[in-house]
């Protein structure tokens, strides 16, 4: 190679740390020429040679010791292999000079003339086309430049990156999502979805994207990201725009992610979030019920902490609503159920954080910590929440804003519930050591049975005695025909 002015090196000669696989495959593909010495019958060398033969139709040279030829695999028996004589410990100077001359001559031919096929793959499979690969970092740089130019010119970004690799397109969309550029991220994820659909379509083209049926060709991750960016892009606008965006996201999750039967925590978490926001915008109970159902399924089936802490939040807000409506029984039930979920969520998060080394390798460290913090806040364990404050300060500005908003909503709901139970003060309550005769009986005139607003439960209103501690209540219910 020195003779023909080409830089040559062995993979093992490059000083790198960690795994060399990525660099090795990169070099195997990008190298103008590859030389494989099969003399040691190393399985890795044979595998890497196969990779090169699959990628490139030519410019691959194979060499081996002469005494190896009788042991070569059959699949290489029709491939040109340049042999040299090895004397055991050394190679004779004359043999080295001869072989250098032979390889130099072959290289000069390859450089001067159009190379013929030396890969058996392309030799026997005429019409085979070599794969195209471009460094993703270069693609991303080009894609971002196109994006900046279009945004600067006020152009639509729907077609940005149409010729880019899917991985590069998704990476750019993720970057826009992280920056909070939801409309741009939505357009890029939609473009990625369209690229996959078109690539998988037959002669008739892809089906109408508005058809309510799953499309297995598109990874559910892309639909999930598209749904997320869709409803986020509508946040902060007027109710009409926001509701339209939420309903569009709901349709994606229902039709493409099949959230009605899904057990995917991400799909269920997104579906719960969409209906939570629809409930906040419309005050329709159906959205509250669906939000809780999605969150609870993700929590109970997958023990997913994100779905769990959001299910708990929904129960706390429901407790506040019931407290304001005077439904004391169901308010207490919902509040207690929310904290029961929070306790389990806290145990899950504490378990994940228990092993610092394992936790450091997780990609969701920030989410685990934030969820644990919210669980502590909801359970009123403020001291434990404060212990996490230093870690919370490391969160992104967007995450801090979201957490602060969630904290304020949670605090408001907890305050309403606290007002409900404030009257249950033990200072004026008779001791449990008192005899039953010291406690006035509750007569039908003093108490009444109240049906909950949902109609699913009955409670006993103790009337004037509601602020007293009652040891027992006897209720007789008679059913008609």
């Amino acid at each position: 190679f020195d003779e023909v002015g080409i830089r040559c090196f062995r993979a093992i000669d490059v000083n790198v740390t960690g795994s060399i696989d990525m660099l090795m495959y990169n070099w195997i593909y990008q190298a103008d020429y590859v030389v494989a010495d099969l003399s040691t019958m190393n399985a890795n060398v044979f595998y890497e040679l196969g990779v090169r033969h699959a990628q490139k139709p030519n410019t691959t040279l194979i060499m081996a010791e002469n005494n190896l030829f009788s042991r070569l695999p059959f699949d290489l028996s029709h491939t040109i292999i340049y042999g040299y004589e090895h004397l055991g410990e050394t190679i004779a100077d004359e043999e080295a000079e001869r072989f250098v001359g032979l390889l130099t001559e072959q290289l000069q031919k390859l450089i001067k003339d159009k190379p013929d096929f030396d890969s058996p793959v392309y030799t026997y499979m005429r019409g085979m086309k070599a794969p195209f690969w471009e460094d993703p970092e270069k693609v991303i740089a080009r894609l971002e430049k196109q994006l900046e130019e279009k945004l600067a010119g006020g152009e639509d970004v729907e077609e940005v990156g149409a010729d880019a690799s899917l991985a590069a397109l998704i990476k750019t969309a993720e970057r826009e999502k992280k920056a909070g550029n939801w409309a741009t991220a939505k357009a890029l994820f939609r473009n990625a979805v369209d690229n996959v659909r078109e690539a998988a379509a037959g002669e008739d083209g892809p089906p109408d994207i508005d058809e309510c049926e799953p499309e297995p060709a598109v990874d559910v991750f892309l639909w999930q990201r598209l749904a997320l960016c869709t409803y986020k892009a509508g946040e902060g606008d007027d109710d009409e725009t926001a509701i339209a965006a939420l309903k569009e996201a709901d349709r994606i999750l229902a039709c493409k992610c099949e959230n009605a039967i899904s057990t995917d925590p991400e799909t269920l978490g997104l579906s719960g979030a969409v209906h939570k926001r629809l409930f906040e915008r419309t005050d329709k109970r159906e959205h509250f019920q669906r939000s809780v159902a999605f969150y609870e399924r993700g929590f109970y089936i997958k023990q997913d902490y994100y779905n769990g802490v959001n299910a708990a939040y929904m129960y706390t807000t429901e407790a506040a609503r019931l407290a304001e409506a005077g439904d004391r029984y169901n308010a207490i039930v919902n509040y207690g159920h929310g904290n029961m979920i929070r306790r389990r969520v806290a145990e899950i998060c504490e378990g994940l954080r228990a092993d610092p080394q394992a936790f450091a390798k997780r990609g969701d460290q920030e989410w685990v910590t934030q969820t644990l913090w919210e669980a502590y806040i909801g359970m009123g364990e403020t001291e434990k929440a404060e212990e996490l404050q230093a870690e919370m300060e490391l969160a992104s500005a967007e995450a801090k804003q979201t957490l602060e908003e969630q904290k304020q909503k949670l605090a408001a709901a907890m305050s309403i519930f606290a007002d409900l139970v404030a009257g249950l003060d033990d200072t004026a309550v008779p001791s449990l050591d008192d005899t039953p005769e010291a406690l006035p009986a509750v007569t039908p005139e003093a108490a009444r049975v109240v049906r909950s607003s949902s109609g699913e439960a009955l409670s006993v209103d103790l009337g004037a005695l509601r602020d007293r501690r009652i040891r027992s209540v006897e209720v007789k219910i008679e059913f008609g025909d």
Side-chain angles (χ1 to χ4, degrees):
F1 280 88
D2 289 341
E3 292 287 338
V4 295
I6 295 177
R7 174 175 175 263
C8 183
F9 62 91
R10 299 183 303 166
I12 199 173
D13 292 332
V14 179
N15 185 21
V16 296
T17 58
S19 174
I20 197 175
D21 290 351
M22 181 176 70
L23 291 173
M24 179 193 67
Y25 285 114
N26 188 304
W27 291 326
I28 288 175
Y29 176 82
Q30 294 202 84
D32 297 303
Y33 302 94
V34 165
V35 177
D37 191 338
L38 308 182
S39 298
T40 61
M41 293 290 284
N42 186 311
N44 290 331
V45 174
F46 280 86
Y47 186 90
E48 292 155 15
L49 174 61
V51 170
R52 173 70 176 189
H53 277 162
Q55 293 175 334
K56 297 288 186 178
N58 44 45
T59 65
T60 303
L61 301 171
I62 306 175
M63 56 191 282
E65 296 179 26
N66 290 335
N67 62 6
L68 181 69
F69 280 71
S70 61
R71 297 187 291 126
L72 282 173
F74 173 79
D75 288 337
L76 285 172
S77 60
H78 302 296
T79 302
I80 296 177
I81 300 175
Y82 300 100
Y84 64 91
E85 187 68 32
H86 200 293
L87 301 178
E89 294 294 329
T90 61
I91 299 176
D93 291 342
E94 295 82 1
E95 175 63 3
E97 186 178 348
R98 180 195 70 82
F99 197 67
V100 167
L102 173 63
L103 288 184
T104 301
E105 182 182 353
Q106 298 306 316
L107 282 169
Q108 289 171 336
K109 290 180 179 178
L110 290 174
I111 294 170
K112 180 180 178 181
D113 302 324
K114 183 179 179 180
D116 196 4
F117 294 137
D118 53 45
S119 162
V121 177
Y122 293 87
T123 298
Y124 300 119
M125 299 184 69
R126 294 290 177 173
M128 171 75 73
K129 293 183 178 180
F132 171 78
W133 179 84
E134 186 176 359
D135 187 341
E137 293 302 325
K138 294 181 180 179
V139 175
I140 291 168
R142 186 178 71 246
L143 188 61
E144 290 176 339
K145 183 178 180 181
Q146 293 175 4
L147 182 61
E148 291 173 1
E149 291 174 350
K150 283 185 173 289
L151 291 176
E155 298 181 44
D156 190 355
V157 297
E158 288 289 343
E159 298 302 321
V160 173
D163 62 338
S165 71
L166 182 63
L169 187 58
I170 292 173
K171 187 172 182 179
T172 305
E174 284 287 313
R175 192 170 297 169
E176 293 297 316
K177 177 185 76 69
K178 189 174 182 179
N181 300 324
W182 298 108
T184 301
K186 174 188 173 183
L188 291 169
F189 277 118
R190 175 58 189 266
N191 195 22
V193 166
D194 289 341
N195 285 357
V196 175
R197 295 176 75 246
E198 290 171 6
E203 295 181 358
D204 297 332
D208 188 342
I209 197 170
D210 292 327
E211 290 184 12
C212 194
E213 60 181 37
E215 298 186 45
V218 182
D219 192 290
V220 70
F221 166 81
L222 290 177
W223 291 122
Q224 291 167 345
R225 281 295 194 258
L226 181 58
L228 171 65
C229 295
T230 295
Y231 82 72
K232 284 286 190 179
E235 284 188 343
D237 294 325
D238 59 277
D239 280 349
E240 184 178 354
T241 302
I243 291 171
L246 287 164
K247 288 184 175 180
E248 183 184 352
D250 182 45
R251 181 177 176 80
I252 293 171
L253 293 166
C255 297
K256 306 303 182 181
C257 301
E258 297 183 289
N259 60 8
I261 60 173
S262 176
T263 59
D264 185 321
E266 183 71 13
T267 293
L268 297 173
L270 287 168
S271 300
V274 165
H275 284 280
K276 179 179 77 172
R277 286 164 171 76
L278 281 170
F279 173 61
E280 292 172 345
R281 294 273 186 175
T282 67
D283 202 31
K284 291 184 178 179
R285 298 298 302 165
E286 63 183 274
H287 293 305
F288 173 85
Q289 293 165 351
R290 294 192 69 187
S291 177
V292 172
F294 284 125
Y295 281 141
E296 284 199 307
R297 196 193 317 162
F299 175 60
Y300 288 119
I301 292 179
K302 297 292 188 179
Q303 290 291 283
D304 180 69
Y305 58 82
Y306 171 84
N307 279 284
V309 80
N310 280 286
Y313 169 80
M314 297 301 289
Y315 276 113
T316 302
T317 57
E318 177 70 351
R321 186 190 71 82
L322 292 167
E324 289 183 316
D327 190 347
R328 298 162 61 87
Y329 171 80
N330 280 300
I332 293 171
V333 168
N334 277 269
Y335 198 88
H337 190 61
N339 276 348
M340 180 185 71
I341 295 175
R342 284 192 185 92
R343 172 51 55 203
R344 178 58 189 142
V345 168
E347 290 172 355
I348 292 171
C349 295
E350 288 166 349
L352 294 174
R353 290 167 53 90
D355 184 346
Q357 290 185 338
F359 185 63
K361 297 178 182 178
R362 296 182 64 94
D364 60 347
Q365 299 173 47
E366 184 177 8
W367 288 108
V368 172
T369 302
Q370 292 172 5
T371 299
L372 182 58
W373 175 83
E374 183 179 334
Y376 286 152
I377 293 290
M379 292 187 293
E381 299 182 6
T382 54
E383 290 185 4
K384 290 185 176 180
E386 289 173 359
E387 291 175 1
L388 297 174
Q389 199 59 43
E391 295 179 62
M392 301 299 295
E393 293 300 323
L394 300 176
S396 64
E398 181 189 354
K400 287 181 181 178
Q401 180 180 352
T402 301
L403 287 167
E404 185 59 31
E405 292 173 356
Q406 183 78 347
K407 180 181 178 181
Q408 291 176 3
K409 292 178 182 178
L410 191 57
M414 293 170 67
S415 176
I416 293 172
F417 180 80
D419 291 341
L420 168 72
V421 299
L424 304 180
D425 189 357
D426 291 340
T427 57
V429 177
S431 170
L432 289 178
D433 294 331
D434 292 341
T435 61
E437 290 74 20
L439 298 173
V442 180
T443 65
E445 291 75 24
R448 62 193 180 95
V449 176
V450 181
R451 184 182 297 277
S452 68
S453 60
S454 63
E456 297 174 351
L458 300 177
S459 61
V460 177
D461 188 339
L462 300 179
L465 300 173
R466 68 173 56 173
D467 293 334
R468 307 287 300 273
R469 177 174 290 170
I470 305 301
R471 178 167 292 179
S472 65
V473 175
E474 181 178 345
V475 179
K476 181 179 180 182
I477 301 178
E478 294 181 354
F479 294 89
D481 294 339

